[in-house]
Amino acid sequence: MEPPPKPSNSLFEVYLRLRPSNAVGAERFLDVQDDGTHITIKPPPTDHRKRAVEKFAFTQVFEEHAKQLDIFKGTGVVPLIEGVLAADGSHGRDGLLATLGVTGSGKSHTILGTKSQRGLTQMALGLLFQSTESQIVQPTYGSNAVPSLAATDASEAQLFTASAFLDSHYGDNQSERGFNSRAQTPMPEYSSFIGPTTTRSRNIPRPSALPQTPSVQEVEVPADPNAEYAIVISMYEVYNDRIFDLLSGSGTNSKNGQQKRRALLFKSTEQSPDRKVVAGLRKIICGSLDEALMVLETGLHERRVAGTGSNAVSSRSHGFFCVEVKKRDRSGRGSWRGSTLTIVDLAGSERARNAKTAGATLAEAGKINESLMYLGQCMQMQNDNQEGNKQNIVPFRQCKLTELLFSNSFPSATSHHHQQNSSHRNPQKAIMIVTADPVGDFNATSQILRYSALAREITVPRIPSVSSTILSGTTAGGKSTLSSGRSSPTVSWEELEQATQEVARLTEEADILAMQLDDERERRLHAEECWRAAEERMTALEQEIRDECFAEMEERMDAERRRWKGAWDEEADRADEHFDRKIEVLVKGIEVHEDEEGEAEGEVRVDELERENEGLKRKLELLEREVQGRSPSKKQRILGKKKWSVPDENLDSE
Ligand SMILES: Nc1ncnc2c1ncn2[C@@H]1O[C@H](COP(=O)(O)OP(=O)(O)OP(=O)(O)O)[C@@H](O)[C@H]1O
C-alpha cells in the first residue's frame, strides 16, 4: 500500500512520531514497516472483538530514537520557513505546523520542547532570525517601522515592541501603550528588561536559562536579499471554542483572570475582506531571537496560569503561536507584506471514561474531544478526497479550531479576482505531526491514527479453519490411500479440495466483511456523535437566535411603547387645550347670551318707560285741559308749581 500521491489541494502532510515509553512490561501494539512510511497496529490479545491488523501510511514515520533536530529537519518545517521568508521576492506562503495525539503522547514535547531541549517552535524561530539577521528591522522609538507596521496590520491589533511589552508585563506597568493598527501613536522605547535597574514584579524569563540546544546553525535558508524583515509575534488559545489572547496579560495580571479574559473574534476585517483573522490581538515586534523566546515563554506561562489549574501538566486548550514574517523594500519605503507561520499545540484527546474528570473539567474535555472530532472529520474528508474521484467539501466551519486551522488552506473566494494583482495569496502549506505511544492506550491511539493517516488498509490474519485443516488432512490421507492401491474417485478428491479452498476463501471474506462491518459500525457511531453534536449546536444556535430576536423585540416594543406614550401625552395635551378653548368659547357664549337678555330686558324696560311716558303725556294733556278751564293766574300758579309733580300724585292716586 503506497501513500496516495498528494493532490495540490490536500490539507496536510502527515508525519508520525513515536515516543519512547516508560511503561515497563507493557505490550507494544504498533510496528513500523521497513519503508519508514507505514505502520501496522494489532489489537492487544485481550481484545477478542477485534482481530484485524490495520496498516496506515504516513508521509514519514519517526521512531522512538528520533531526536528533536531529526524531526525539525525531516518533517518539512524548513520548507515552511522557506515559504514565509520568500527569497524569490514574492510575498511568501503561509505555513502551519500542528501536533495531534492522545494526551501524554508527546505533542508539547515535540512542538515546545522541554527544560533542556528546544522544541520545533524555538528551532523555527532560531532559523528565522538566523536567516534574516542582517536584514531584520530593530523596532526602536522614532523609527518609522513600528507605525508603518501598525498601519498595514489587517487585524485591528495592538502592536508593541518586545521591550515595551516585556516592560509592561514584568516591570512597573508604566509603558502599557501600544500601536493600534488603526491609529498610530508615538510610543516611548522601554528597554528595562535589558537594563539592570528595573524592578520586576514577576519572574521575567531569562534567555540564558532557556534551552540552547539543539542548534540549527547548520541549516541554511536564504532570505530575500532586497528586503528588510520584521518579525511580529502573537499568541492565542482556543479554550471551550472561544479564542483568548495569551499576550494580553489579563490571565496573569488579575486574581480572577479567567473571568476577565475577553474572547476575540475570528472574522474578516476592513483591511482583510477576503480572509478571516483573529481581531484585536496584542502583537509584539521582536528584533532578536532572545526577545522572541521571552515573548513565547510569557505566552506559555499565561496559557498555564489561565487554564483550569486542575491539570497543570496537560494542555487543556489548543495553543496557537503565530510568527508573522513581514517584509518591505530594503530602502524602507513601500508597505509591509508577508506571510505567517502558525505553530499549533493541540490539546490531547482523552476518553472521559478513562480520565477521572468531573464538572467543568469534564465539560472542557468534552469540548476538546468535540473539536478534535471535527478535526478528524476534516482530515478524514481529505483522505477520502484523495482516495476517490469525488471531491467532498471539507466541513471546517464546524468549530473554531477547524476554522482557524483550515480557513487559509483554500484559495479565498475572491482570489480569482486577486489573481491579476499582486496581493494574491497562495493557500497555506500545512504539516501535521501525529504523536503516539506504541504501548499506550490502543483504542484512543488507533482512533487518531485512523483519521489522520494518509491511507489505511485492513487485513484479517488467515486462521486455518477447522474444515480446511480436516480436509487437508483427509487429502493427505487420500494420497496415502491412493498409494496403497485402493481405488478412489480422484475427481471427487479434487472437487473436494477446491470446495475446501472455496470455503476457506469465503470464510476469510466473511471475516473481512465482519471487520468492515465493525468499521462501518464505528463510523456510523462517529457520524451519529457528529450529528448529535451538530444538533446540539443547532439548538444552542436556535436558542441564541431566539434570545436575540426576543431582545430585539423587547427593544422595539419599548421603543413603540415610548412612542405611543409620547403620542398619547401629546393627544391628551391637545385634547386639554381643545377643551379649554371650548370652555372659553362657552363662557363667551354665556356672556353673549346674558347680554342679549339684558338687551331684551332693556327693550322691555324702554317699552314700559315709553308706555309710561305716553300715559304721563296723556295725563299732562288732561291736566292742561283742566287748567285751561280755570283762571289764568291760577292756571300759571298751578303750572309753575305742579307741572312735574302732579302726574306722580295722579299715579299714586290711580
Ligand atoms: N519523544 C520523547 N522523548 C522523551 N520524552 C518524551 C517524548 N515525548 C514525550 N515525552 C515525555 O512525555 C511526557 C508527556 O509529553 P507531553 O506533555 O509532550 O504530552 P502531550 O501530548 O503534550 O500531552 P497533553 O495533550 O496532555 O498536553 C513529558 O514528560 C515528555 O517529556
Side-chain angles (χ1 to χ4, degrees), residues 17 19-20 102-109 114 314-315 347-348:
R17 183 186 195 182
R19 60 157 291 183
V102 178
T103 290
S105 59
K107 296 182 297 297
S108 307
H109 179 97
T114 60
S314 182
S315 316

Side-chain angles (χ1 to χ4, degrees), residues 101-105 107-108 237 239 300 303-305 307-318 345-350 355 357 361 364-365 368:
V102 178
T103 290
S105 59
K107 296 182 297 297
S108 307
E237 65 176 344
Y239 178 75
L300 292 179
R303 188 178 172 204
R304 280 193 293 270
V305 173
T308 57
S310 56
N311 189 346
V313 183
S314 182
S315 316
R316 311 303 311 155
S317 65
H318 307 298
D345 180 27
L346 290 172
S349 69
E350 58 190 311
T357 44
T361 324
E364 183 187 277
I368 292 171

Side-chain angles (χ1 to χ4, degrees), residues 369-370 372-378 380 447 451 519-533:
N369 284 348
E370 186 186 286
L372 291 172
M373 182 184 77
Y374 289 133
L375 170 62
Q377 265 182 1
C378 293
Q380 187 74 58
Q447 201 178 5
Y451 65 66
D519 206 36
E520 285 303 320
R521 201 170 288 133
E522 217 164 277
R523 277 170 85 113
R524 198 197 70 208
L525 288 175
H526 181 66
E528 279 174 2
E529 214 174 293
C530 296
W531 179 260
R532 264 196 302 280

